[in-house]
Amino acid sequence: EAQVTQNPRYLITVTGKKLTVTCSQNMNHEYMSWYRQDPGLGLRQIYYSMNVEVTDKGDVPEGYKVSRKEKRNFPLILESPSPNQTSLYFCASSLYPNQPQHFGDGTRLSIL
Amino acid sequence: ILNVEQSPQSLHVQEGDSTNFTCSFPSSNFYALHWYRWETAKSPEALFVMTLNGDEKKKGRISATLNTKEGYSYLYIKGSQPEDSATYLCASLGGATNKLIFGTGTLLAVQP
């Protein structure tokens, strides 16, 4: 089954404790993205990747890192999480950016 | 227009009503316009991606049009049903970057 898998689905952690949210897709898609969703602000792109070893900043990259060492995986890394990064995060992929995005189920992060 | 704007913010209609909403986006350097349907507690699902001025797409009772010269797209729902209740998101892909910029969505509630 074609899918985008994010883990974990929920995480409560504390300020400053490094965390990684994994994202994996099985559709051989070139384009992968991370978004955060906050009330009243809609989906905002954090980082995107056009291919292996090619990543670019979206609109809200501060405080986040990503890597794309393999085509299928695009982890989101919070080196030193802070409470303002409490949010709902989505990973998405598509063959190219002008193709429909497939979204993961979302990860709800709470940083205390 | 510098951002992607959607109107109205929310809409309440009766079952059977037809409705439409608007997405406005920067017309310069335009590459593609995405529409997504997002039900509560689920992930966004792709409806359409349009690239050419004058494009019209249809999926069942839902259709969309695109005007790239003036920077707007309309989404139409014919004969709304309660299961159409969701937030409808549009996103613009500019030609200069591969960033996807989302609007804040239109929340549609269809009363039986």
Side-chain angles (χ1 to χ4, degrees), chain A residues 91-111:
Chain A
C91 180
S93 75
S94 59
L95 188 55
Y96 301 116
N98 64 346
Q99 299 292 308
Q101 299 251 285
H102 297 252
F103 283 82
D105 288 336
T107 295
R108 189 165 289 283
L109 278 184
S110 293
I111 318 289

Side-chain angles (χ1 to χ4, degrees), chain A residues 5-102:
Chain A
T5 304
Q6 290 178 231
N7 280 298
R9 292 291 313 279
Y10 304 92
L11 180 62
I12 301 174
T13 188
V14 296
T15 299
K17 187 175 179 184
K18 181 180 176 179
L19 68 92
T20 299
V21 185
T22 62
C23 174
S24 181
Q25 51 95 3
N26 62 359
M27 295 167 278
N28 204 34
H29 284 166
E30 307 275 331
Y31 186 74
M32 295 187 76
S33 284
W34 275 102
Y35 301 91
R36 60 178 289 174
Q37 196 271 324
D38 301 291
L41 295 177
L43 282 172
R44 292 181 293 167
Q45 196 173 41
I46 303 170
Y47 269 95
Y48 61 94
S49 169
M50 287 296 294
N51 212 326
V52 173
E53 303 293 1
V54 180
T55 62
D56 280 293
K57 294 178 182 178
D59 277 342
V60 288
E62 295 79 20
Y64 304 94
K65 282 172 58 175
V66 291
S67 70
R68 188 99 182 265
K69 293 189 169 68
E70 305 160 287
K71 199 171 191 177
R72 63 183 292 126
N73 295 324
F74 190 45
L76 179 71
I77 303 151
L78 285 73
E79 293 269 4
S80 183
S82 62
N84 64 11
Q85 292 177 298
T86 293
S87 189
L88 177 60
Y89 290 85
F90 285 101
C91 180
S93 75
S94 59
L95 188 55
Y96 301 116
N98 64 346
Q99 299 292 308
Q101 299 251 285
H102 297 252

Side-chain angles (χ1 to χ4, degrees), chain B residues 55-71:
Chain B
D55 249 356
E56 288 188 33
K57 297 240 175 165
K58 190 173 178 182
K59 193 176 198 174
R61 292 178 292 99
I62 305 177
S63 60
T65 60
L66 180 67
N67 182 323
T68 61
K69 292 182 197 255
E70 294 178 49

